[in-house]
Amino acid sequence: MLLRRRIVLVFSLSGLLLMAVAGGSFALLWQWSQTQLANAEQETARARWNLSLEQVAAFYEAIVVPLAEGADFAEALGRLDREAIRRRLIEAMKIDTGLAPVLRIDAANDDGDIIASTAGLAVAAPLVDVERTALALQRGYPIVGPELDPNGRQLLVVTVSGPRRTLLSLASDLATLLPDLASGQRADLFLLDRDENLVSATNSDLWSELRSRRQIRTDATSYTTTYRSGFMLVPLPLTSSGGALIGTLLVVRDVTFNLQRSRLILLIGGVTALLLLGATSVGVYVFTRGALDPLGEVTRVVRALASGNLFVTTDVRPTSSEVGDIAAAVEVFRANAVELERGRIRETLRDAQQHALIRREMARLASTLDEPARAEVLAGLQDIQAGIGGDAATGASALAAGFSLMAGRVAEQHRQLSALLQERTRDLQVVRDALAEREQLGRLREELEFARHLQMSSLPAIFPPYPDRTDFTIYAAMQPAKEVGGDFYDFVLLDDDRLALMIGDASGKGVSAAMFIATCRALVRSAVVRGATPADALAIANAAMTTDNEMSMFATVFLAILDLRAGILRYANGGHNPPYVLRPDGGCHALDQAGGIALGVIEPFEFSEADVVLHAGDRLFLFTDGVTEAHDPSFAMFGEARLEHVLDGGADCDAEGMIRRVSQEVALFVRDADQADDITMLSLVYRGANGGASDADHT
């Protein structure tokens, strides 16, 4: 990679890193601001709620305040005339405040005893905690707040101080007052009981919409202030004067515009930063190219000099920059190299003359040896001379090579014999190792064949399995990709009217997957036989398989229980391919997923269930992903669309024929490609409670 490109790449990566750091800091700041906003929203909602309570309380003061200040009422309290007090309380209830009607008015003493009540003599306790309310009334203002009557109804109670150390409490239905209390909230209010069930709402349509989007949780134990798809949800706990929780007021405000504006600002900021980074990178690239192109020319000259071309020249103009200095230094280096090459040529000519003299003397000495030695030495000298090829730098070693020729021949022959012996010894050891490995491989194949036989024999293989049953027929088949597979299928009659169906696929293949899926099958089957529902059976198996799962394996499982009388199929799906239902009219559709994850991943996990009704003549087809992920030699997959086409075209097949049809189509599709995964299928034909439908009904 060119230097300028590396510079631009480093600059760009540094810019991206800085943007990432800045983005992370901004994200933390944004999260903190959202938390502060949520706290501020809750405080604001609480303040508006208290203000609404005070405004509503002002209307009810028109009833209890004149009553507390009336002389006749004080006189009745003085002589403890309970009937007169009660009549006066009933008259006060008739005053119209323009709000929800008053349900009850109580008069209680500071000991917490009821003096009189419009609810009659059956009232045993006052509406409020008398001791705490009396302390709060010392400020001189009426006390207003929610309370819970013995029947569980949520009330709004206004309490004032009466004559002779009494407390006057007026109660109205909080649910009825909710629209009046919502006038100052600028939001929709939802009143929930202690179990978080809806009691009253100012906007029922919004409540239904939030429930349909799963933004209001039906299984929640508490709410927190949070954004949910454009709505700000603020929970306000409602406590009685005694400090007990009587319900929750959920304040929901539409903040869609604020969210969209914030996201637009973030998008504009991000795009602007990316554009600036891109423009800066382009500028750096243009600048570095202009600055470093002369350096590339100098690099070309240096490479030519290194390859021996001493006559190359550079086109770089002399400048005061570092590149100009480098070009001048390269030119000096080239001139020195030319001078050195001339000296080397002169030295080579002189050495060649000396070496020729030495070779003539060597040939004369060789003539004194016997014929075989002389021939060998002369041949060696010829080889040396041919190898030198006139190179004076290596000619000085010719004499030493001639003298050591014979010793070298003997040493070479010895080395050859030693190498041959070592090679034969290694070949013998290789043969021994191969025989041992072959024997070990034979034992391993026998063990794998036994494991395959054991696995296949553990699956139901006798069809039809229930020949005396006329209300359904069933067939299944499994084709492992290796000696043992990681799939399973199973079915069992739980009683005369219920049939359990299951199919599964473990992650991976081979012995480990087979052992894992066998454990999974045993756990699911045991739970179902003991009476567990499909969802509970998957949850039990998931809890057992998640424990001590050191290899992090998992398995997908589909489990269903068919009511043979009603035709209702209740099922749960643990991350498996959804089965297909085939109707007699040729319709083919996959079952809903019934949300679930693979077993062995997360514990605990609550699986959900779903139902589908099978009619006489309907067919159910269960399969593993080895069917849809089978590939041809070009690695194109069989796919769900092709499977649906095959199933839709085989609506007149029986249970066994359906599986054989799919197997044939898959085999024709993959041709001579290797099988990549286990292929497992289970098919059921439901004929109805009386067995009235048959396979012939579809022809």
Side-chain angles (χ1 to χ4, degrees):
M1 182 182 294
L2 296 178
L3 178 60
R4 59 173 176 268
R5 294 181 181 175
R6 293 200 297 270
I7 293 175
V8 174
L9 180 60
V10 170
F11 176 82
S12 301
L13 292 178
S14 301
L16 290 174
L17 179 61
L18 291 176
M19 290 180 62
V21 172
S25 302
F26 181 78
L28 294 176
L29 180 61
W30 176 264
Q31 184 177 5
W32 176 83
S33 65
Q34 293 302 303
T35 302
Q36 296 298 111
L37 176 61
N39 295 336
E41 285 286 345
Q42 190 158 19
E43 292 298 327
T44 302
R46 173 62 69 181
R48 290 175 178 172
W49 170 251
N50 292 335
L51 179 61
S52 298
L53 291 181
E54 293 176 1
Q55 292 173 349
V56 170
F59 287 94
Y60 286 121
E61 288 182 35
I63 298 176
V64 291
V65 172
L67 180 64
E69 296 176 351
D72 55 343
F73 184 72
E75 181 182 355
L77 286 173
R79 63 176 184 271
L80 200 59
D81 187 350
R82 297 179 184 274
E83 186 60 31
I85 296 172
R86 184 172 179 273
R87 287 196 303 269
R88 187 69 183 89
L89 294 177
I90 293 174
E91 292 176 1
M93 286 181 61
K94 299 178 181 179
I95 299 176
D96 185 12
T97 62
L99 299 177
V102 178
L103 300 179
R104 169 180 167 186
I105 301 179
D106 288 354
N109 58 27
D110 55 2
D111 292 329
D113 299 327
I114 291 292
I115 299 175
S117 174
T118 59
L121 300 177
V123 177
L127 291 168
V128 298
D129 186 317
V130 173
E131 182 178 357
R132 295 187 181 184
T133 305
L135 291 174
L137 284 172
Q138 292 179 1
R139 298 178 302 171
Y141 299 102
I143 301 302
V144 57
E147 300 288 346
L148 199 66
D149 68 2
N151 297 326
R153 181 167 52 178
Q154 296 167 321
L155 304 175
L156 182 66
V157 178
V158 180
T159 305
V160 300
S161 296
R164 297 183 180 277
R165 300 172 62 186
T166 60
L167 297 180
L168 299 178
S169 300
L170 178 149
S172 182
D173 190 352
L174 182 58
T176 308
L177 283 170
L178 196 63
D180 298 316
L181 294 170
S183 59
Q185 294 292 324
R186 289 183 292 179
D188 292 301
L189 302 183
F190 301 97
L191 181 62
L192 312 178
D193 60 15
R194 287 183 295 184
D195 297 328
E196 298 193 353
N197 297 317
L198 181 65
V199 177
S200 179
T202 60
N203 189 342
S204 300
D205 294 336
L206 178 58
W207 178 265
S208 300
E209 180 182 353
L210 294 177
R211 285 287 297 274
S212 65
R213 293 195 209 165
R214 298 179 178 267
Q215 296 173 4
I216 298 295
R217 298 166 293 167
T218 57
D219 58 346
T221 57
S222 63
Y223 286 96
T224 57
T225 303
T226 181
Y227 283 109
R228 292 182 181 273
S229 300
F231 292 93
M232 171 71 80
L233 280 69
V234 182
L236 299 178
L238 302 180
T239 56
S240 64
S241 57
L245 180 67
I246 68 170
T248 303
L249 183 72
L250 197 60
V251 182
V252 179
R253 186 162 61 88
D254 189 349
V255 293
T256 304
F257 175 76
N258 294 337
L259 286 178
Q260 292 178 347
R261 183 177 58 184
S262 300
R263 292 169 181 168
L264 180 60
I265 292 174
L266 290 176
L267 178 61
I268 293 175
V271 172
T272 302
L274 290 176
L275 291 177
L276 288 176
L277 178 62
T280 306
S281 300
V282 172
V284 170
Y285 178 80
V286 173
F287 173 77
T288 54
R289 181 171 182 177
L292 297 179
D293 276 351
L295 185 60
E297 177 65 17
V298 173
T299 302
R300 181 187 66 82
V301 174
V302 171
R303 288 177 178 173
L305 292 175
S307 63
N309 184 4
L310 302 179
F311 302 100
V312 66
T313 58
T314 177
D315 296 333
V316 178
R317 298 178 180 178
T319 61
S320 59
S321 63
E322 292 84 352
V323 177
D325 295 339
I326 293 174
V330 169
E331 182 61 26
V332 172
F333 173 77
R334 187 188 69 81
N336 293 336
V338 170
E339 185 61 30
L340 287 175
E341 180 64 18
R342 291 173 180 172
R344 187 187 67 81
I345 293 174
R346 290 193 296 269
E347 187 69 21
T348 299
L349 293 175
R350 184 173 58 252
D351 291 342
Q353 295 173 355
Q354 296 175 356
H355 293 164
L357 178 61
I358 293 174
R359 285 195 294 273
R360 286 195 299 272
E361 293 298 323
M362 285 289 297
R364 186 177 63 81
L365 291 175
S367 63
T368 63
L369 300 176
D370 56 359
E371 186 63 27
R374 183 172 62 252
E376 186 175 2
V377 170
L378 291 176
L381 289 175
Q382 292 176 358
D383 293 340
I384 293 173
Q385 186 173 359
I388 293 173
D391 187 0
T394 58
S397 61
L399 182 60
F403 288 146
S404 62
L405 183 60
M406 294 302 297
R409 298 297 186 190
V410 174
E412 179 65 22
Q413 184 175 5
H414 177 72
R415 284 195 297 271
Q416 290 177 356
L417 291 175
S418 299
L420 181 60
L421 179 60
Q422 292 177 359
E423 183 178 357
R424 294 297 182 264
T425 304
R426 286 196 299 269
D427 291 342
L428 180 59
Q429 185 62 37
V430 168
V431 172
R432 291 175 179 174
D433 294 342
L435 291 175
E437 291 178 359
R438 181 176 180 180
E439 183 179 357
Q440 184 178 5
L441 181 60
R443 290 196 301 269
L444 180 60
R445 286 180 176 175
E446 291 178 359
E447 294 175 359
L448 288 176
E449 183 62 27
F450 177 75
R452 175 186 177 91
H453 177 73
L454 182 62
Q455 182 186 34
M456 297 304 294
S457 63
S458 67
L459 300 176
I462 299 177
F463 297 99
Y466 310 107
D468 56 338
R469 299 299 296 244
T470 60
D471 46 358
F472 70 92
T473 57
I474 192 169
Y475 190 83
M478 184 177 79
Q479 182 180 350
K482 293 187 176 181
E483 286 79 1
V484 290
D487 290 0
F488 83 90
Y489 67 84
D490 201 358
F491 50 84
V492 59
L493 270 175
L494 304 179
D495 51 41
D496 289 342
D497 298 329
R498 293 185 305 146
L499 174 66
L501 307 169
M502 62 195 78
I503 192 169
D505 183 4
S507 60
K509 292 179 285 295
V511 177
S512 59
M515 296 177 63
F516 189 77
I517 203 66
T519 303
C520 176
R521 174 198 174 197
L523 291 171
V524 175
R525 181 186 177 99
S526 175
V528 171
V529 171
R530 292 199 306 268
T533 64
D536 291 340
L538 294 186
I540 292 171
N542 179 62
M545 296 172 67
T546 306
T547 305
D548 298 331
N549 188 4
E550 297 180 355
M551 297 180 65
S552 299
M553 298 187 68
F554 60 89
T556 64
V557 178
F558 176 85
L559 173 61
I561 297 178
L562 174 61
D563 187 332
L564 296 171
R565 286 187 175 274
I568 298 176
L569 183 75
R570 176 169 290 273
Y571 62 90
N573 195 339
H576 197 76
N577 303 79
Y580 285 96
V581 173
L582 286 76
R583 303 296 185 184
D585 57 0
C588 174
H589 69 276
L591 294 179
D592 294 335
Q593 285 287 359
I597 63 173
L599 277 61
V601 178
I602 298 176
E603 196 278 324
F605 184 84
E606 295 183 4
F607 293 86
S608 59
E609 295 181 354
D611 294 332
V612 65
V613 178
L614 299 182
H615 303 287
D618 286 349
R619 286 159 166 75
L620 183 66
F621 182 77
L622 287 66
F623 64 98
T624 61
D625 57 6
V627 176
T628 54
E629 294 181 4
H631 61 79
D632 61 9
S634 63
F635 293 97
M637 290 191 178
F638 190 75
E640 294 180 357
R642 188 174 281 104
L643 175 60
E644 293 174 3
H645 177 73
V646 173
L647 293 175
D648 193 37
D652 57 344
C653 296
D654 58 5
E656 180 179 358
M658 189 182 308
I659 289 181
R660 295 192 182 281
R661 176 182 172 84
V662 174
S663 298
Q664 292 173 358
E665 292 295 331
V666 171
L668 290 174
F669 176 78
V670 301
R671 299 193 295 278
D672 55 350
D674 294 335
Q675 182 177 341
D677 200 357
D678 306 329
I679 296 177
T680 305
M681 295 173 284
L682 187 149
S683 175
L684 178 137
V685 178
Y686 178 64
R687 294 195 172 93
N690 299 323
S694 65
D695 296 335
D697 296 337
H698 303 277
T699 60

